[in-house]
């Protein structure tokens, strides 16, 4: 079945450091890919998405490119801020499997001043 | 426009008790779903609904019931609470499945003793 695997956390960075959170997926069809973010004490909210191969999603300085050849959707940001401290979830939705969201386990990011 | 609301925010139950977690959305979304979030496991789908009167099971449906009598409301019922159901529960809604953004409620933290 379909699945999503993320790098384990927690990830601790200093402010203005470069961020990469790895995400790889397994899918039988052609899924849409998402990054959701969960700030402390809140529900999840969509950060960015990509719906087909080679698409790049971007928002708030974060980027991720849909790489079909490596089945990856790594999240990057050039310069993180303390306010980026949160848990980040990679997810996929495959119309061939009913379109339901399947999440990775989440990666906690902590940014220190 | 309140988005997705959930009540209660916190709940403690004794083993064997039953309760209903409430979820409502005011965005006229057809698709609604319930997830549970456990440490290191991401979010797992419990039940979902593609419209009023239509529900289906997700990945971890055992011990939970749902119904969808209106577009707005999607309550989750715990029939006989067990310690394994201690978790944070999130309700979400979207216009549909596939590449549509899902909007999440703030969550209900449930402890079963």
């Amino acid at each position: 079945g379909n699945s999503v695997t993320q790098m384990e956390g927690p990830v601790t960075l200093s402010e203005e450091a470069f961020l990469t959170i790895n995400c790889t997926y397994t899918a039988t069809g052609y899924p849409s890919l998402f990054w959701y973010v969960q700030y402390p004490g809140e529900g999840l909210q969509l950060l960015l998405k990509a719906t087909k191969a080679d698409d790049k999603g971007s928002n708030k300085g974060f980027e991720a490119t849909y790489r079909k050849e490596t089945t990856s959707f790594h999240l990057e940001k050039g310069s993180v801020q303390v306010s980026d401290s949160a848990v980040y979830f990679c997810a996929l939705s495959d119309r061939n499997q009913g379109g339901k969201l399947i999440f990775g386990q989440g990666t906690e990011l902590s940014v220190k001043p | 426009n309140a988005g997705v609301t959930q009540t209660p925010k916190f709940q403690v139950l004794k083993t064997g008790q039953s309760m209903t977690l409430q979820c409502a959305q005011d965005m006229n979304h057809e698709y609604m779903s319930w997830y549970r979030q456990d440490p290191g496991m991401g979010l797992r789908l419990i039940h979902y609904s593609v419209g009023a009167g239509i529900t289906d099971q997700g990945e971890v449906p055992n011990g939970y019931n749902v119904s969808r009598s209106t577009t707005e409301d999607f309550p989750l019922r715990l029939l006989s609470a067990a310690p394994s159901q201690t978790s944070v529960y999130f309700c979400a809604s979207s216009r549909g499945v596939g590449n549509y953004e899902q909007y999440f409620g703030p969550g209900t933290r449930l402890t079963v003793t």
Side-chain angles (χ1 to χ4, degrees):
Chain A
N2 295 347
S3 66
V4 176
T5 302
Q6 292 179 233
M7 65 185 283
E8 290 199 18
V11 173
T12 303
L13 295 173
S14 297
E15 206 166 22
E16 299 184 3
F18 185 85
L19 168 71
T20 299
I21 300 178
N22 290 339
C23 171
T24 57
Y25 68 90
T26 302
T28 54
Y30 300 93
S32 295
L33 301 174
F34 305 81
W35 277 101
Y36 280 81
V37 59
Q38 184 181 30
Y39 297 105
E42 298 183 9
L44 280 71
Q45 56 186 273
L46 180 66
L47 181 60
L48 54 84
K49 69 178 184 182
T51 58
K52 61 183 187 296
D54 300 325
D55 267 3
K56 178 186 283 189
S58 62
N59 186 24
K60 299 180 181 180
F62 292 89
E63 292 183 341
T65 301
Y66 189 163
R67 302 283 188 203
K68 189 169 183 293
E69 64 276 14
T70 54
T71 61
S72 64
F73 193 55
H74 304 322
L75 182 68
E76 296 182 336
K77 186 175 186 183
S79 175
V80 294
Q81 305 300 312
V82 172
S83 57
D84 294 326
S85 297
V87 181
Y88 293 82
F89 291 92
C90 186
L92 71 80
S93 175
D94 185 348
R95 281 189 179 273
N96 292 341
Q97 300 292 323
K100 300 179 289 291
L101 268 182
I102 296 172
F103 287 90
Q105 71 269 39
T107 303
E108 182 180 359
L109 170 66
S110 177
V111 181
K112 307 296 186 187
Chain B
N1 191 336
V4 179
T5 58
Q6 292 182 237
T7 56
K9 288 184 72 70
F10 302 94
Q11 183 70 50
V12 179
L13 291 178
K14 294 188 189 306
T15 297
Q17 288 184 316
S18 63
M19 79 159 294
T20 299
L21 307 185
Q22 301 292 344
C23 173
Q25 54 91 10
D26 61 1
M27 296 173 282
N28 202 32
H29 286 166
E30 291 296 321
Y31 185 86
M32 295 186 74
S33 52
W34 276 101
Y35 297 88
R36 58 178 290 172
Q37 182 179 25
D38 301 293
M41 302 189 74
L43 277 77
R44 292 180 292 169
L45 183 64
I46 305 171
H47 284 286
Y48 65 99
S49 169
V50 298
I54 306 169
T55 64
D56 206 346
Q57 297 181 351
E59 182 185 355
V60 289
N62 291 341
Y64 307 95
N65 270 359
V66 292
S67 60
R68 183 98 180 269
S69 57
T70 67
T71 299
E72 294 79 18
D73 300 300
F74 191 44
L76 177 73
R77 280 180 287 278
L78 279 70
L79 308 174
S80 177
S84 60
Q85 293 179 304
T86 294
S87 188
V88 181
Y89 292 85
F90 289 99
C91 179
S93 75
S94 67
R95 290 174 54 200
V97 297
N99 59 14
Y100 292 104
E101 175 180 0
Q102 289 208 19
Y103 294 82
F104 285 79
T108 294
R109 183 174 294 274
L110 175 68
T111 302
V112 183
T113 62

